[in-house]
């Protein structure tokens, strides 16, 4: 065991890496696969394809940071989900995962697109009951509408009165038309 303190990893990166692992676990339940180091790599690529470019870069950076911390310290940073494929990895396997995550994001997007097409074709032939878009979201673990807030209740809206408009107009008198 090393005498130096564990490598610091931004908690947001740990959350991003856990999201990758959770997406992989969900995908494995739908496809019937076995969680492994290759499946973690595949999930990174699938998410890179389905996320917008900024989010994809952040998740890939998160995977790199968490893997580097494991290689430096010999243990996962505190807060990383203890799923079976991750808990069984040694430093050489994590180094392979880090090598995969070092691919340019544009390459990971291409790999993710190919994987997504292959998996959706297989699942559709097997009788997936939903749409292709639902399947893609399920496989990648990316649900774009979740980030939006709850739609406000229109019953609690208060109409704007003439007094409200007069208060706004008073402050706007100084402004050029």
């Amino acid at each position: 065991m090393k005498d130096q303190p564990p490598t610091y990893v931004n908690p947001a990166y740990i959350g991003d890496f856990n999201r990758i692992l959770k997406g992989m676990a969900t995908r494995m339940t739908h496809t019937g696969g076995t969680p492994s180091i290759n499946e973690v790599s595949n999930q990174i690529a699938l998410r890179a394809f389905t996320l917008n470019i900024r989010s994809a870069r952040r998740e890939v950076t998160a995977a790199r940071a968490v893997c580097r911390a494991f290689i430096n310290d010999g243990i996962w940073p505190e807060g990383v989900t203890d799923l079976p494929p991750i808990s069984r990895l040694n430093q050489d396997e994590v180094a392979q995962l880090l090598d995969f995550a070092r691919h340019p994001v544009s390459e990971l997007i291409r790999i993710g697109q190919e994987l997504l097409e292959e998996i959706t074709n297989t699942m559709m032939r097997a009788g997936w009951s939903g749409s292709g878009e639902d399947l893609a979201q399920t496989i990648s673990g990316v649900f774009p509408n979740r980030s939006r807030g709850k739609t406000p209740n229109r019953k609690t809206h208060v109409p704007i009165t003439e007094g409200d408009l007069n208060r706004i107009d008073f402050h706007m008198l100084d402004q050029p038309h």
Side-chain angles (χ1 to χ4, degrees), residues 2 13 19 21 24-25 33 48 50-52 61-62 68 70 72 75 88 96 98 102 115 130 151 156 168 171 177:
K2 298 179 181 180
Y13 285 172
R19 208 170 297 116
L21 297 177
M24 184 225 28
T50 53
L51 290 169
N52 66 44
T61 301
R68 268 192 228 106
F70 179 87
N72 290 341
I75 59 170
R88 292 187 232 136
Q96 291 174 4
L98 179 59
R102 284 186 178 145
L115 283 169
T151 306
T156 60
I168 293 171
H171 292 290
H177 294 302

Coordinates of all heavy atoms in Angstrom, one line a residue, residues 2 13 19 21 24-25 33 48 50-52 61-62 68 70 72 75 88 96 98 102 115 130 151 156 168 171 177:
K2 N 0.5 2.2 -0.8 CA 1.3 3.4 -0.9 C 1.0 4.3 0.3 O -0.1 4.3 0.9 CB 1.0 4.2 -2.2 CG 1.3 3.3 -3.4 CD 0.9 4.1 -4.6 CE 1.2 3.2 -5.8 NZ 0.9 3.9 -7.1
Y13 N -17.0 13.7 -11.8 CA -16.5 12.7 -12.7 C -16.9 11.3 -12.2 O -17.2 10.4 -13.0 CB -15.0 12.8 -12.8 CG -14.5 13.9 -13.6 CD1 -13.1 14.2 -13.7 CD2 -15.3 14.7 -14.4 CE1 -12.6 15.2 -14.5 CE2 -14.8 15.7 -15.2 CZ -13.5 15.9 -15.3 OH -13.0 16.9 -16.1
R19 N -22.7 6.7 -13.9 CA -23.8 6.7 -14.9 C -23.5 5.7 -16.1 O -24.3 5.0 -16.6 CB -24.0 8.1 -15.4 CG -25.4 8.4 -15.9 CD -25.6 9.9 -16.1 NE -25.4 10.7 -14.9 CZ -24.5 11.6 -14.8 NH1 -23.7 11.9 -15.7 NH2 -24.4 12.3 -13.6
L21 N -21.6 3.0 -15.8 CA -21.7 1.7 -15.3 C -23.2 1.3 -15.1 O -23.6 0.2 -15.4 CB -21.0 1.6 -13.9 CG -19.5 1.8 -13.9 CD1 -19.0 1.7 -12.5 CD2 -18.9 0.8 -14.8
M24 N -24.6 0.5 -18.5 CA -24.1 -0.8 -18.9 C -24.9 -1.9 -18.2 O -25.3 -2.9 -18.9 CB -22.6 -1.0 -18.6 CG -22.1 -2.3 -19.1 SD -21.0 -3.3 -18.0 CE -21.5 -2.9 -16.4
A25 N -25.2 -1.8 -16.9 CA -25.9 -2.8 -16.2 C -27.3 -2.9 -16.8 O -27.9 -4.0 -16.9 CB -25.9 -2.5 -14.7
G33 N -26.5 -10.0 -22.0 CA -25.1 -10.2 -22.0 C -24.5 -10.3 -20.6 O -25.2 -10.2 -19.6
A48 N -21.2 8.0 -25.9 CA -20.5 9.1 -26.7 C -21.3 9.4 -27.9 O -21.5 10.5 -28.4 CB -19.1 8.7 -27.0
T50 N -24.7 8.9 -28.4 CA -26.1 9.4 -28.1 C -26.1 10.7 -27.4 O -27.1 11.5 -27.5 CB -26.9 8.4 -27.3 OG1 -26.2 8.0 -26.2 CG2 -27.2 7.2 -28.2
L51 N -25.0 11.1 -26.7 CA -25.0 12.4 -26.0 C -24.6 13.5 -26.9 O -24.0 13.2 -28.0 CB -23.9 12.3 -24.8 CG -24.3 11.4 -23.6 CD1 -23.1 11.3 -22.7 CD2 -25.5 12.1 -22.8
N52 N -24.8 14.7 -26.5 CA -24.3 15.8 -27.3 C -22.8 15.8 -27.1 O -22.3 15.2 -26.2 CB -24.9 17.1 -27.0 CG -24.6 17.6 -25.6 OD1 -23.5 17.6 -25.1 ND2 -25.6 18.1 -24.9
T61 N -13.8 12.1 -20.4 CA -12.8 12.6 -19.5 C -13.0 12.0 -18.1 O -12.0 11.7 -17.4 CB -12.9 14.2 -19.4 OG1 -12.7 14.7 -20.7 CG2 -11.9 14.8 -18.5
A62 N -14.2 11.8 -17.7 CA -14.5 11.2 -16.4 C -13.9 9.8 -16.3 O -13.3 9.4 -15.3 CB -16.0 11.3 -16.1
R68 N -7.4 6.4 -14.3 CA -6.0 6.8 -13.9 C -5.9 6.8 -12.4 O -4.8 6.3 -11.9 CB -5.7 8.3 -14.4 CG -5.1 8.3 -15.7 CD -4.5 9.7 -16.0 NE -5.0 10.1 -17.4 CZ -5.9 10.9 -17.7 NH1 -6.6 11.6 -16.8 NH2 -6.2 11.1 -18.9
F70 N -7.4 4.7 -10.4 CA -7.3 3.3 -10.0 C -5.9 2.8 -10.3 O -5.4 2.1 -9.5 CB -8.4 2.5 -10.8 CG -8.3 1.0 -10.5 CD1 -9.0 0.5 -9.4 CD2 -7.5 0.2 -11.2 CE1 -8.9 -0.8 -9.1 CE2 -7.4 -1.2 -10.9 CZ -8.1 -1.7 -9.8
N72 N -3.2 4.5 -10.4 CA -2.2 5.1 -9.5 C -2.3 4.5 -8.1 O -1.3 4.3 -7.4 CB -2.4 6.7 -9.4 CG -2.0 7.4 -10.7 OD1 -1.3 6.8 -11.5 ND2 -2.6 8.5 -10.8
I75 N -6.9 1.0 -6.1 CA -8.3 0.9 -5.7 C -9.1 1.9 -6.4 O -8.6 3.0 -6.9 CB -8.5 1.0 -4.2 CG1 -8.0 2.4 -3.7 CG2 -7.8 -0.1 -3.5 CD1 -8.4 2.7 -2.3
R88 N -14.0 -6.7 -10.1 CA -13.1 -7.8 -10.4 C -11.9 -7.4 -11.2 O -11.1 -8.2 -11.5 CB -13.8 -8.9 -11.1 CG -14.8 -9.6 -10.3 CD -15.4 -10.8 -11.0 NE -16.9 -10.6 -11.0 CZ -17.7 -10.8 -12.0 NH1 -17.2 -11.2 -13.1 NH2 -19.0 -10.7 -11.8
Q96 N -6.3 -1.2 -20.0 CA -6.9 -1.4 -21.3 C -8.1 -0.5 -21.5 O -8.4 0.0 -22.5 CB -7.4 -2.9 -21.4 CG -6.2 -3.9 -21.5 CD -6.7 -5.3 -21.5 OE1 -7.9 -5.6 -21.5 NE2 -5.8 -6.3 -21.5
L98 N -8.6 2.3 -20.0 CA -8.0 3.7 -20.1 C -7.5 3.9 -21.6 O -7.8 4.9 -22.2 CB -6.9 3.9 -19.1 CG -6.2 5.3 -19.2 CD1 -7.3 6.4 -19.0 CD2 -5.1 5.4 -18.2
R102 N -8.9 6.7 -24.3 CA -8.0 7.7 -24.9 C -8.2 7.9 -26.4 O -7.7 8.8 -26.9 CB -6.6 7.2 -24.6 CG -6.1 7.5 -23.2 CD -4.6 7.2 -23.1 NE -4.2 7.5 -21.7 CZ -3.3 6.8 -21.1 NH1 -2.7 5.8 -21.7 NH2 -3.0 7.1 -19.8
L115 N -22.1 0.1 -32.9 CA -22.6 -0.8 -31.9 C -24.1 -0.6 -31.7 O -24.9 -1.6 -31.6 CB -21.9 -0.5 -30.5 CG -20.5 -1.0 -30.3 CD1 -19.9 -0.4 -29.1 CD2 -20.6 -2.5 -30.2
G130 N -41.0 -1.8 -28.3 CA -41.1 -0.4 -28.4 C -40.5 0.1 -29.8 O -40.2 -0.7 -30.7
T151 N -43.3 20.3 -15.9 CA -44.2 21.3 -16.5 C -45.0 22.0 -15.4 O -45.6 21.4 -14.5 CB -45.2 20.7 -17.5 OG1 -44.4 19.9 -18.4 CG2 -46.0 21.7 -18.2
T156 N -52.0 27.3 -11.0 CA -51.4 28.2 -10.0 C -50.8 29.5 -10.6 O -50.3 30.3 -9.9 CB -50.2 27.5 -9.3 OG1 -49.3 27.1 -10.2 CG2 -50.8 26.2 -8.5
I168 N -43.6 48.0 -14.5 CA -42.6 47.8 -15.5 C -42.4 49.0 -16.4 O -41.2 49.4 -16.6 CB -43.0 46.6 -16.4 CG1 -43.0 45.3 -15.6 CG2 -42.0 46.4 -17.6 CD1 -43.6 44.1 -16.3
H171 N -40.1 51.8 -14.8 CA -38.7 51.6 -14.9 C -38.1 51.7 -16.4 O -37.0 51.9 -16.6 CB -38.3 50.2 -14.3 CG -38.5 50.1 -12.9 ND1 -37.7 50.7 -12.0 CD2 -39.5 49.5 -12.1 CE1 -38.1 50.5 -10.7 NE2 -39.2 49.7 -10.8
H177 N -36.5 54.2 -27.0 CA -37.5 53.4 -27.6 C -36.9 52.7 -28.8 O -36.2 53.2 -29.5 CB -38.7 54.3 -28.0 CG -39.4 54.8 -26.9 ND1 -40.0 54.1 -25.8 CD2 -39.7 56.1 -26.5 CE1 -40.5 54.8 -24.9 NE2 -40.4 56.1 -25.3

